[in-house]
Every structure is written in structure tokens, then in C-alpha cells.
Amino acid sequence: AKSAILCVHGLGLDNQAFTAFGHEMASRGYAVYAMDVRGFGAWLTTPGQEELRLQEAINDIGSILGLVGDRHPNTPVFILGESMGGAIALRAGARYFKEINGVISSVPSAERFQSKKMGLSVAVHFLKNPNKPFNVGEMVQKKATAITENREAWNQDLKAKMEMSPKELMRFAIFMRETKRQCDQIHLPVFFVQGLKDRLVKPRGTYELFEAIAGQDKDLFIVGSEEHLI
């Protein structure tokens, strides 16, 4: 392989989100892996593992990198993440800088459109029952993509997680906002991607993360015609 790429999905999705990307990159000579973040995908069928656990997901990346290194010795390894996965990828870059060669982070902004409205909804559900999941997937899906094919694939994905508890969403929001503080520990090459037609997160948040990266080997690629799911 030219290099190995470990992909990390966004909120509500799972590793199948990278199926088309994986096939395309494999045809170009790259080894592509995609994981399920704790609380998503295959974890939903594991008793006691249904909740979002972001710190454990970062630990999982360390284990996966070990397996990738065994399969592809002396091969460059990159972590690619989208949205929530983009923030996870950045954190992994700060932690596993000896095991990887760079990070690709797409739309990792913590600044969300209509964040006050979403925050109020979470607060109301929290007061009712902080551990009871409610449907947030439909709202995220509508904002993430206007492409019918993408929405249909999302709806047909049996591993997609459409419901989350107020506690999970609060942990998610804190995780996303705290990611910026770890960017000053990243000295690896980092490539950011942001679409200007993004209706879910504000591009400004991605720009701020880009500026916060300590290393100088960094690039920001802005795609004027693209939305959230690039």
C-alpha cells in the first residue's frame, strides 16, 4: 500500500459511511480502515456499550494503529475524520504522534448553527430524564446533507444511531469544544477540509482549530460548493 488510512465517522453514523471512499482509495493503492466510535455501529449490539464514549474511542484508535502497523510495516499511516470524527482525529494526532504521519480533519467545528435551539431541547429532555434517549438524528441528518441519496443511505443503515440521551449530547458538546485546547500539542502535518455550504457547523470553528494547530505544516482546503458531508 502507498499508505494506510484509518477513518473515523461523524455523529449518528458508523464505519459504513466510508464504504464508497474506501473502495475508491483502495483502487488507487491505499489501505483503508474504518472504525465504529464507541456507542455507534456494532457497539449498539454489545450490551453495556450503547452509550457514546469518546475517550474510549481514542483508546481504540491506539489499538487499531497497532494492528495496522503489523499489517503494513514501514508504511505511512494517516487518520481521517469527519465532523465528530474530525475532532477525534485531531485528538488522536496529539496523542499518537509517534504512530502516525498526519491527520485529515473534515468539518471538525464545534460551532453549530441553531446551537441555542438545540441546547434548549437538550435541557428540556435532561430535566425530564437525563438518561432517556430522544431522536436527534433527523435534525442532524437534515442539516448534514441535502442530497437525497445520502439521506436514504443513512436511513437504510441499520447501524446508524438516531437517538441519544441528554447526557451523551452534553458529553459530546464538551468534547468538541475542548478539542481546540489540544491542538497546540499537534506538530504533525494536518489537512483541514471545510465546505462553505455547511448548514450544520459554522466554518469559523474549523478556521479557529486550524489556527490553533502548533505545527506549521498545515493546510486548510475550503470547498465553496460542498455542505457538511464532504
Side-chain angles (χ1 to χ4, degrees), residues 149-209:
E149 292 179 0
N150 289 346
R151 289 187 180 182
E152 290 178 352
W154 198 332
N155 289 327
Q156 293 172 7
D157 186 351
L158 299 177
K159 296 198 302 175
K161 182 175 182 176
M162 304 298 282
E163 295 188 345
M164 297 181 67
S165 71
K167 277 190 175 181
E168 287 180 286
L169 290 168
M170 290 175 68
R171 287 201 299 266
F172 164 74
I174 293 171
F175 178 90
M176 296 297 290
R177 291 197 173 276
E178 289 184 344
T179 296
K180 184 179 177 181
R181 290 192 296 181
Q182 295 202 16
C183 287
D184 64 358
Q185 302 174 34
I186 301 176
H187 296 272
L188 293 167
V190 182
F191 185 73
F192 285 88
V193 183
Q194 177 65 53
L196 289 186
K197 289 190 176 181
D198 196 328
R199 297 185 301 128
L200 184 62
V201 304
K202 298 178 181 179
R204 180 187 65 195
T206 296
Y207 306 157
E208 291 175 353
L209 290 169

Side-chain angles (χ1 to χ4, degrees), residues 1 22 52 70 73 100 104 123 131 142 156 162 179 192 203 212 216 218:
L52 172 65
D70 290 340
I100 65 175
I104 304 162
N131 297 306
K142 288 178 181 179
Q156 293 172 7
M162 304 298 282
T179 296
F192 285 88
Q216 296 302 306
K218 56 183 180 180

Side-chain angles (χ1 to χ4, degrees), residues 1-5 22 24-32 72 78:
K2 294 178 181 178
S3 65
I5 306 171
E24 174 63 27
M25 296 306 290
S27 71
R28 300 186 184 200
Y30 296 87
V32 183
H72 308 279
F78 298 88

Side-chain angles (χ1 to χ4, degrees), residues 20-39:
F21 173 81
H23 285 305
E24 174 63 27
M25 296 306 290
S27 71
R28 300 186 184 200
Y30 296 87
V32 183
Y33 297 83
M35 63 180 282
D36 281 335
V37 174
R38 296 264 183 157

Side-chain angles (χ1 to χ4, degrees), residues 62-117:
S63 301
I64 296 171
L65 289 175
L67 295 173
V68 173
D70 290 340
R71 290 188 177 185
H72 308 279
N74 303 316
T75 301
V77 179
F78 298 88
I79 297 180
L80 180 153
E82 187 170 55
S83 196
M84 174 188 74
I88 292 174
L90 291 171
R91 296 223 183 181
R95 182 169 174 180
Y96 301 113
F97 57 90
K98 292 183 179 180
E99 287 89 351
I100 65 175
N101 297 81
V103 173
I104 304 162
S105 183
S106 181
V107 295
S109 173
E111 303 294 332
R112 296 184 171 265
F113 290 107
Q114 298 183 327
S115 58
K116 291 183 178 179
K117 180 179 179 181

